[in-house]
């Protein structure tokens, strides 16, 4: 039986196709903050991360690089590990799916599922996206492209083994109902139920024959194991799971996982495929899967094609590890995409880290040295202004832990900064510089400085989960061994008579935006703009008669929902005066269904109906777009059905 104080957290394993950018890095920093806080709460933590190293995409990239696939993934895995270490990630296990033990257990699991009849031999025919390692039917494509990444697909026809997902559909739905917190946030669960379970699960293709860089199916070597079966099993093979029952004690101690931390784009694999695989293997399911949001570059998803990719090591070179960790953990909401730009990072460092945190620590230590030679003593001279500071300090750890138990790192950090702001205000309220001028107030001055140091100690201990290096620096500078989060139940544990450092370190210097901008320009030089081509050369001219064929009318969106099979599409019911039309639009990245309801739009009324991912669209709405944004064209208050000319 697993001890309630044993806590097992995993990240998704990073696909070893290239260097991870800062959006990929967010996941390891988020996970590290969660497990550090758990350790502070007295949990025995097992933290696993790693790399996913098989698949056709990697085989192709290795060929392009002129090296063997193993040499290619060795290099990339080393780079991933270097960045995880750079970001101060305190993982216990870095698993690679090319490890012999993992590969052997994948083969044994595949054979067990085949022997049970859950895997059978068939033939796959359809479309395949190499970038996503995903199979699609013709009706699932969006404008002939992959519905997940928007990239090209190719025809695929080959013998393949299939896994009977449909056999376990009802059991999985029951598990969802019996464990309402299994998928977080709630919106991710709704997507899985509405888009996949309710329409009905199709059996999953779990082998390939058209490439070799994967784990061979040992009883049918023409086939290799499909990457998702291989990758998902890492969460148990990394604990020493053995299909034959000879499990390592780590597996018995830590499985089932307390939480899988993954990106929102792979929730389907972790909350449908993975639980069903575990059911078929007669293993307990993980307690929770948290699908975190993305980190966008400004308003756009990071991509090398757009030239907007930022890497963690470049940010660290410019700002330091803890400043980058702070930004990631504070600026990405619990259930909505966050945004990063160089200017936003500078603003956050200057306002929060330099002004609120760094300035407080340095001025407090400086006053302790100036007035008492660095000796901090509690003289017990109380005034009512002390009460609020103490109350906020004592309440803070519980609030931080409660938010961290829900993976809400931004709110947890806010609670620490509530204390830091109040501590800064306490300086203004007590005016130590005035107390120092009155010899009769010397003991009161000592008490004020003691309260300041104690409040800083509270904040520094809580910051360990988020900014471990900064936390240690502060606690070292105030010279305290009292660093236990769970003992922050008494204000006054800082040892009276301790001497703070007489050479305080500047934790965070204020940054000059113009200087940072120069460094960014050197790091990411802007691409020269291409000469604009004449529109006449790009677009075929039409006549007034051609334009007259297009019938544009004003409509109003009366209902809207997400497409059941495509995250980028919305399905709208639009009143165009004499009838209602169903229109499917690729605008889900820019508008929620709730935002669209009630919106006036311009509809192309006489467009030939078409099916988009299996849902009929009876027209089109007009939008204006740039590289970064999209807006639905607003016709104003014209009545529904009005002609647009």
């Amino acid at each position: 039986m697993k001890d309630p104080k044993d806590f097992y957290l995993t990240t998704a394993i990073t696909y070893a196709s290239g260097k991870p950018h800062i959006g990929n890095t967010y996941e390891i920093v988020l996970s590290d903050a969660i497990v550090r806080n758990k350790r502070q709460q007295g949990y025995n933590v097992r933290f696993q991360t790693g790399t996913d190293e098989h698949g056709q995409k990697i085989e192709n990239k290795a060929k392009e690089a002129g090296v063997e696939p193993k040499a290619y993934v060795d290099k990339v895995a080393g780079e991933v590990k270097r960045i995880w270490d750079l970001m101060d990630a305190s993982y216990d296990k870095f698993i690679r799916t090319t490890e012999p033990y993992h590969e052997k257990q994948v083969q044994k699991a595949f054979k067990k599922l085949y022997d049970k009849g859950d895997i059978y031999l068939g033939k796959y025919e359809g479309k395949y996206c190499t970038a996503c390692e995903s199979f699609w039917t013709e009706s699932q494509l969006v404008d002939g492209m992959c519905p997940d990444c928007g990239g090209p697909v190719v025809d695929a026809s080959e013998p393949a083994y299939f896994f009977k997902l449909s056999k376990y559909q009802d059991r999985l739905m029951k598990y969802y109902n019996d464990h309402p917190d299994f998928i977080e946030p709630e919106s991710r669960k709704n997507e899985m139920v509405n888009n996949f379970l309710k329409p009905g699960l199709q059996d999953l293709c779990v082998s390939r024959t058209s490439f070799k860089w994967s784990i061979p199916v040992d009883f049918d070597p023409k086939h290799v194991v499909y990457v998702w079966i291989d990758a998902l099993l890492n969460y148990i093979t990394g604990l020493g799971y053995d299909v034959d029952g000879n499990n390592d004690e780590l597996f018995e101690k830590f499985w089932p996982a307390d939480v899988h931390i993954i990106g929102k784009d792979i929730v389907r694999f972790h909350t449908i495929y993975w639980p069903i695989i575990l059911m078929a293997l007669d293993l307990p399911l993980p307690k929770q899967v948290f699908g975190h949001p993305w980190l966008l570059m400004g308003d756009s998803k990071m991509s090398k094609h757009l030239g907007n990719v930022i890497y963690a090591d470049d940010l660290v070179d410019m700002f330091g590890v803890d400043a980058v960790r702070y930004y990631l953990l504070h600026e990405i909401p619990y259930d909505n995409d966050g945004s990063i730009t160089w200017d936003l990072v500078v603003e956050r460092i200057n306002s929060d880290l330099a002004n609120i945190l760094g300035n407080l620590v340095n001025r407090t230590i400086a006053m302790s040295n100036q007035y008492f030679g660095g000796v901090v003593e509690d003289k017990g001279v109380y005034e009512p202004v002390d009460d609020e500071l103490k109350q906020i300090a004592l309440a803070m750890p519980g609030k931080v832990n409660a938010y961290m138990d829900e993976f809400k790192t931004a709110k947890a950090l806010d609670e620490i900064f509530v204390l830091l702001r109040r501590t800064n205000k306490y300086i203004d309220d007590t005016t130590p510089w005035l107390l120092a001028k009155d010899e009769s107030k010397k003991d009161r001055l000592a008490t004020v400085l003691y309260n300041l140091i104690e409040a800083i100690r509270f904040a520094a201990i809580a910051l360990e989960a988020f900014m471990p290096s900064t936390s240690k620096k502060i606690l070292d500078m105030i010279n305290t061994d009292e660093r236990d989060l769970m003992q922050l139940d008494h204000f006054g544990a800082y040892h009276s008579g301790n001497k703070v450092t007489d050479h305080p370190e500047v934790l965070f210097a204020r940054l000059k935006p113009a200087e940072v901008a120069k460094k960014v320009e050197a790091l990411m030089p802007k691409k020269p703009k291409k000469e604009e081509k004449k529109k006449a050369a790009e677009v075929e001219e039409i006549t007034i008669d051609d334009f007259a064929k297009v019938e544009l009318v004003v409509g109003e969106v009366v209902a809207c929902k997400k497409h059941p099979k495509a995250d980028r599409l919305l399905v709208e019911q639009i009143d165009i005066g004499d009838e209602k039309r169903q229109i499917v639009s690729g605008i889900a990245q820019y508008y929620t269904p709730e935002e669209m309801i009630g919106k006036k739009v311009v509809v192309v009324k006489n467009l030939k109906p078409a099916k988009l991912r299996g849902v009929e669209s009876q027209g089109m709405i007009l939008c204006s777009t740039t590289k970064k944004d999209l807006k639905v064209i607003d016709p104003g208050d014209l009545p529904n059905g009005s002609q647009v000319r």
Side-chain angles (χ1 to χ4, degrees):
M1 179 66 70
K2 183 176 176 180
D3 190 306
K5 276 293 184 179
D6 289 334
F7 184 84
Y8 180 40
L9 177 147
T10 72
T11 71
I13 48 175
T14 302
Y15 197 50
S17 58
K19 180 178 178 179
H21 58 60
I22 191 62
N24 309 133
T25 307
Y26 164 65
E27 184 172 299
I28 193 74
V29 174
L30 169 66
S31 300
D32 185 65
I34 293 167
V35 298
R36 284 179 180 272
N37 175 262
K38 286 294 182 184
R39 293 190 191 108
Q40 286 186 303
Q41 293 186 53
Y43 285 82
N44 178 34
V45 169
R46 177 79 175 179
F47 176 18
Q48 180 169 302
T49 186
T51 42
D52 175 9
E53 302 185 8
H54 292 123
Q56 186 174 8
K57 185 176 180 180
I58 289 174
E59 184 175 270
N60 292 345
K61 281 184 169 288
K63 187 176 181 179
E64 291 169 8
V67 298
E68 291 298 314
K70 184 61 165 64
Y72 184 87
V73 296
D74 283 349
K75 182 178 179 181
V76 175
E79 183 70 357
V80 172
K81 192 173 186 299
R82 181 187 72 83
I83 291 180
W84 282 193
D85 292 342
L86 174 69
M87 297 309 299
D88 229 345
S90 58
Y91 53 84
D92 300 289
K93 169 73 174 177
F94 188 99
I95 191 170
R96 298 180 56 188
T97 56
T98 50
E99 293 176 11
Y101 182 83
H102 171 80
E103 292 188 337
K104 186 61 180 175
Q105 294 302 323
V106 169
Q107 289 180 319
K108 288 163 69 174
F110 197 99
K111 181 65 162 58
K112 179 176 180 177
L113 297 175
Y114 176 77
D115 290 343
K116 283 184 65 175
D118 286 335
I119 287 179
Y120 61 92
L121 183 62
K123 184 177 181 181
Y124 177 80
E125 289 191 86
K127 302 293 184 179
Y128 181 72
C129 174
T130 303
C132 296
E133 304 273 3
S134 295
F135 296 99
W136 305 103
T137 63
E138 189 76 44
S139 64
Q140 290 175 318
L141 303 180
V142 177
D143 298 328
M145 309 295 272
C146 172
D148 277 355
C149 71
V153 295
V154 296
D155 290 323
S157 177
E158 59 186 82
Y161 286 93
F162 289 83
F163 181 46
K164 294 180 180 178
L165 291 181
S166 53
K167 173 181 173 181
Y168 294 91
Q169 175 168 321
D170 292 343
R171 184 173 165 187
L172 180 61
M173 192 68 212
K174 183 178 186 304
Y175 189 85
Y176 281 12
N177 293 332
D178 293 344
H179 301 82
D181 297 328
F182 175 57
I183 306 175
E184 289 291 337
E186 179 75 14
S187 58
R188 311 273 190 262
K189 174 183 174 181
N190 295 336
E191 289 172 12
M192 295 305 105
V193 172
N194 295 330
N195 295 355
F196 298 102
L197 288 180
K198 285 186 176 178
L201 293 179
Q202 296 182 351
D203 290 350
L204 177 67
C205 180
V206 291
S207 77
R208 299 293 308 279
T209 59
S210 57
F211 65 93
K212 294 299 182 185
W213 180 241
S214 192
I215 301 172
V217 175
D218 55 359
F219 60 87
D220 192 351
K222 297 188 298 296
H223 293 258
V224 293
V225 178
Y226 174 59
V227 66
W228 280 108
I229 295 285
D230 167 16
L232 290 164
L233 284 170
N234 94 88
Y235 302 126
I236 53 178
T237 62
L239 292 174
Y241 166 74
D242 177 63
V243 175
D244 298 329
N246 301 312
N247 301 321
D248 188 278
E249 62 181 16
L250 283 173
F251 180 78
E252 304 298 340
K253 183 177 179 61
F254 285 105
W255 190 260
D258 291 86
V259 62
H260 294 315
I261 302 291
I262 60 165
K264 66 178 184 178
D265 52 327
I266 54 174
V267 169
R268 169 166 50 109
F269 305 101
H270 285 79
T271 61
I272 294 179
Y273 301 169
W274 179 226
I276 290 178
I277 292 169
L278 290 168
M279 288 175 179
L281 291 172
D282 299 315
L283 294 175
L285 272 58
K287 296 178 183 177
Q288 195 168 61
V289 177
F290 176 59
H292 65 74
W294 286 337
L295 178 63
L296 305 178
M297 179 56 179
D299 297 323
S300 304
K301 190 176 178 181
M302 289 187 200
S303 77
K304 291 181 180 179
H305 174 71
L306 294 175
N308 64 353
V309 174
I310 299 178
Y311 295 102
D313 46 359
D314 291 331
L315 283 164
V316 168
D317 287 345
M318 205 168 297
F319 305 118
V321 173
D322 276 6
V324 177
R325 283 177 63 109
Y326 177 80
Y327 186 91
L328 295 175
L329 295 169
H330 188 264
E331 295 303 305
I332 302 181
Y334 170 72
D335 54 1
N336 293 308
D337 292 341
S339 177
I340 185 170
T341 67
W342 296 95
D343 290 342
L344 287 173
V345 176
V346 170
E347 179 184 329
R348 187 56 65 201
I349 290 172
N350 285 344
S351 62
D352 291 3
L353 301 184
N355 281 2
I356 297 172
L357 173 59
N359 187 45
L360 169 65
V361 173
N362 279 276
R363 70 196 290 211
T364 300
I365 292 175
M367 287 190 292
S368 297
N369 281 307
Q370 180 182 352
Y371 300 135
F372 296 102
V375 177
V376 180
E377 291 186 277
D378 182 7
K379 295 293 187 178
V381 181
Y382 160 82
E383 289 188 5
V385 70
D386 303 344
D387 290 338
E388 186 181 358
L389 178 67
K390 294 178 181 180
Q391 290 167 2
I392 291 173
L394 288 167
M396 179 271 294
K399 292 180 178 179
V400 168
N401 290 342
Y403 281 128
M404 290 303 289
D405 288 346
E406 298 177 345
F407 319 132
K408 295 177 179 178
T409 59
K411 288 185 178 294
L413 275 168
D414 283 343
E415 291 300 330
I416 300 172
F417 274 76
V418 166
L419 173 59
L420 291 170
R421 288 186 176 90
R422 185 62 188 87
T423 308
N424 274 306
K425 186 175 184 298
Y426 182 77
I427 295 176
D428 297 334
D429 292 342
T430 56
T431 59
W433 53 91
L434 295 181
L435 294 174
K437 294 179 180 179
D438 187 340
E439 186 64 25
S440 68
K441 299 290 181 67
K442 189 173 182 179
D443 285 352
R444 173 58 185 164
L445 174 61
T447 303
V448 165
L449 291 173
Y450 177 88
N451 289 342
L452 287 169
I453 291 292
E454 177 69 335
I456 288 170
R457 183 179 75 90
F458 267 66
I461 291 171
L463 281 172
E464 195 277 333
F466 311 92
M467 305 165 67
S469 176
T470 299
S471 170
K472 184 178 185 303
K473 286 178 183 177
I474 295 171
L475 294 169
D476 287 348
M477 285 195 292
I478 66 174
N479 187 26
T480 180
D481 294 325
E482 301 293 335
R483 304 185 180 198
D484 190 337
L485 182 72
M486 299 310 291
Q487 292 182 5
L488 294 183
D489 55 358
H490 168 64
F491 192 94
Y494 181 80
H495 182 67
S496 182
N498 270 8
K499 187 177 185 301
V500 299
T501 182
D502 52 4
H503 295 292
E505 178 181 348
V506 175
L507 296 173
F508 299 96
R510 283 189 59 81
L511 300 170
K512 296 180 179 179
E515 292 181 3
V516 173
K518 288 181 181 178
K519 294 179 181 178
V520 172
E521 177 62 27
L523 180 67
M524 303 174 67
K526 294 180 179 178
K527 295 179 181 179
K529 293 183 178 179
K530 296 178 181 178
E531 291 186 22
E532 292 198 18
K533 298 177 182 179
K534 292 182 179 181
K535 297 296 180 184
E538 297 179 351
V539 182
E540 182 183 352
E541 291 182 344
I542 63 173
T543 67
I544 189 66
D545 293 330
D546 292 324
F547 181 73
K549 296 177 182 178
V550 181
E551 186 177 357
L552 302 176
V553 298
V554 174
E556 181 178 351
V557 181
V558 295
C560 184
K561 64 181 181 181
K562 288 186 176 180
H563 192 292
K565 296 181 180 179
D567 291 341
R568 298 192 307 167
L569 301 179
L570 295 181
V571 181
E572 307 121 350
Q573 304 298 323
I574 301 178
D575 180 355
I576 58 172
D578 56 348
E579 62 175 308
K580 288 183 182 177
R581 289 280 184 93
Q582 175 173 284
I583 293 179
V584 180
S585 307
I587 59 174
Q589 181 181 345
Y590 306 95
Y591 292 93
T592 66
E594 292 75 21
E595 289 173 326
M596 286 300 296
I597 294 174
K599 188 177 286 294
K600 289 277 191 173
V601 295
V602 177
V603 174
V604 181
K605 184 177 180 181
N606 60 335
L607 187 68
K608 183 179 179 180
K611 281 196 173 183
L612 300 180
R613 296 287 301 276
V615 176
E616 185 174 46
S617 181
Q618 303 163 330
M620 178 187 294
I621 61 173
L622 298 190
C623 302
S624 59
T625 182
T626 66
K627 287 185 178 180
K628 294 185 177 181
D629 201 7
L630 176 145
K631 298 290 184 185
V632 172
I633 292 176
D634 184 358
D637 296 327
L638 291 171
N640 297 343
S642 299
Q643 294 285 326
V644 178
R645 302 180 186 278

